[in-house]
Amino acid sequence: MWIGVISIFPELLASIASAGVLGRAVKRGDLAFAVFNPRNYAEDRRRTVDDRPYGGGPGMVMLAEPLLQAVAAARAAAPSPPLVVYLSPQGRRLDQPKVQSLAELPSLVLLAGRYEGIDQRVIDLAVDEELSIGDYVLSGGELPAMVVVEALCRLLPGVLNNQDSILSESHLDGLLEYPHYTRPESVRAASVPEVLMCGDHGAVAKWRRKQALLRTWRERPDLLSARRLEDEDIRLLRDALAVQAQGGSGGED
Ligand code: SAM
C-alpha cells in the first residue's frame, strides 16, 4: 500500500513512521510512505501557508493554493488514483471497520490541517472524505493521520509477525479483547489465572472468550447491542455473569 501525508511538520511524522511495527513495514516495503510539505508549494519567499480568516475572528487559516498543489503532487506520486482524506474533528469518527476498508485501498492521501483549519475550497475541490479520530480538538492533523496509518498498517498482509494476533484484537469481531498475562506467575500477590497454565487449549480459548464477552458487557455494552451474539456466546456470558453475581471474577468455569 502507498500512503502520502500532507503536513507542514514532516519531522513529526518521520519519527512515528520509523518506529515499531510501522517502521518495520516501511523498511520492508510492505508500506510505502511519503510526505508532502505544503510549504514547498508556497508562493512567497517566507513560504507562508496561512492567512487571516475572511470575516474576521480568531486564528489563522491554511491557504488553499499550497495545499491544493501538495495534494496534486501526492496524486501524481501515488501508484494509483488515491482516496484523499482530510483529518478533521468534523469528520466521520474513525472505527475498526473503516480502518479495514482503508487498508484495502492501494493508495491513500491523508491531509493534516493546522491553525483554525484549512480553506473550505480545498475540501470542496480536492478532498473525498473527512475523518475524525474522536470528539475532541487537537492542534494539528499529524497525530490523527498517524493514528490512521498505524491502525491500517497492522492489517496489511505480512506486516505483523504473528497474523493470528489480529484475529482476537479488540474491535476486530466487535468485542474487547481478553486480558493478557506474562511471567512471573505472581506479581505482588496477584497471580495468573490457573486455566492459562493448565496446557488445555480448549479451556484457555473458552476462558478467553468468556473474558472478552464479560469485559465488553462491563466496559462497552454499546458494542454488544450493535451485534448479534451466537447462542454459545450468550451461554458463556450468562455463566460468567452468574458466577460474578456470586462474588467470583466471572472467568471461572
Ligand atoms: N477549527 C477547527 C474546528 O473547530 O473544527 C479545528 C481546527 S484544529 C485546531 C487544527 C487541525 O487539527 C484540523 O485542521 C485537523 O486537521 C486536526 N484535528 C484536530 N482535532 C482532530 C480530530 N479530532 N480528528 C482529526 N483531526 C483533528
Side-chain angles (χ1 to χ4, degrees), residues 92-112:
R92 170 189 155 178
R93 200 151 4 128
L94 185 70
D95 57 17
Q96 191 66 31
K98 182 66 188 174
V99 171
Q100 271 163 311
S101 72
L102 291 178
E104 282 161 22
L105 298 172
S107 306
L108 175 66
V109 171
L110 300 171
L111 169 51

Side-chain angles (χ1 to χ4, degrees), residues 86-90 113 115-117 131-134 136-141 144:
Y86 170 44
L87 280 307
S88 160
Q90 301 182 22
Y115 314 116
E116 284 305 314
L131 269 186
S132 164
I133 61 159
Y136 43 83
V137 178
L138 301 166
S139 300

Side-chain angles (χ1 to χ4, degrees), residues 50-222:
D50 61 315
D51 206 339
R52 289 189 304 266
Y54 276 118
M60 303 293 270
V61 175
M62 289 189 86
L63 292 168
E65 203 51 52
L67 286 176
L68 289 170
Q69 289 190 36
V71 173
R75 277 188 195 282
S80 58
L83 183 78
V84 179
V85 173
Y86 170 44
L87 280 307
S88 160
Q90 301 182 22
R92 170 189 155 178
R93 200 151 4 128
L94 185 70
D95 57 17
Q96 191 66 31
K98 182 66 188 174
V99 171
Q100 271 163 311
S101 72
L102 291 178
E104 282 161 22
L105 298 172
S107 306
L108 175 66
V109 171
L110 300 171
L111 169 51
R114 279 272 154 182
Y115 314 116
E116 284 305 314
I118 69 177
D119 189 305
Q120 179 62 36
R121 289 164 292 186
V122 178
I123 300 173
D124 297 341
L125 293 170
V127 168
D128 298 312
E129 280 182 29
E130 294 182 59
L131 269 186
S132 164
I133 61 159
D135 291 344
Y136 43 83
V137 178
L138 301 166
S139 300
E142 286 76 13
L143 292 177
M146 295 314 282
V147 164
V148 174
V149 175
E150 277 253 3
L152 62 79
C153 162
R154 297 176 64 71
L155 303 181
L156 299 179
V159 165
L160 288 189
N161 289 333
N162 183 355
Q163 289 287 308
D164 288 350
S165 70
I166 298 178
L167 301 176
S168 64
E169 271 181 334
S170 297
H171 302 292
L172 258 290
D173 76 346
L175 296 179
L176 303 182
E177 198 182 35
Y178 51 80
H180 298 280
Y181 296 86
T182 185
R183 284 184 287 186
E185 265 179 57
S186 178
V187 174
R188 303 185 187 200
S191 45
V192 176
E194 263 176 37
V195 63
L196 297 180
M197 297 181 295
C198 71
D200 178 342
H201 297 306
V204 170
K206 190 169 159 193
W207 180 87
R208 286 180 166 164
R209 187 71 185 172
K210 241 184 205 182
Q211 290 292 324
L213 289 159
L214 198 57
R215 277 191 164 189
T216 313
W217 171 272
R218 282 197 210 122
E219 310 298 333
R220 292 291 306 275
D222 57 304

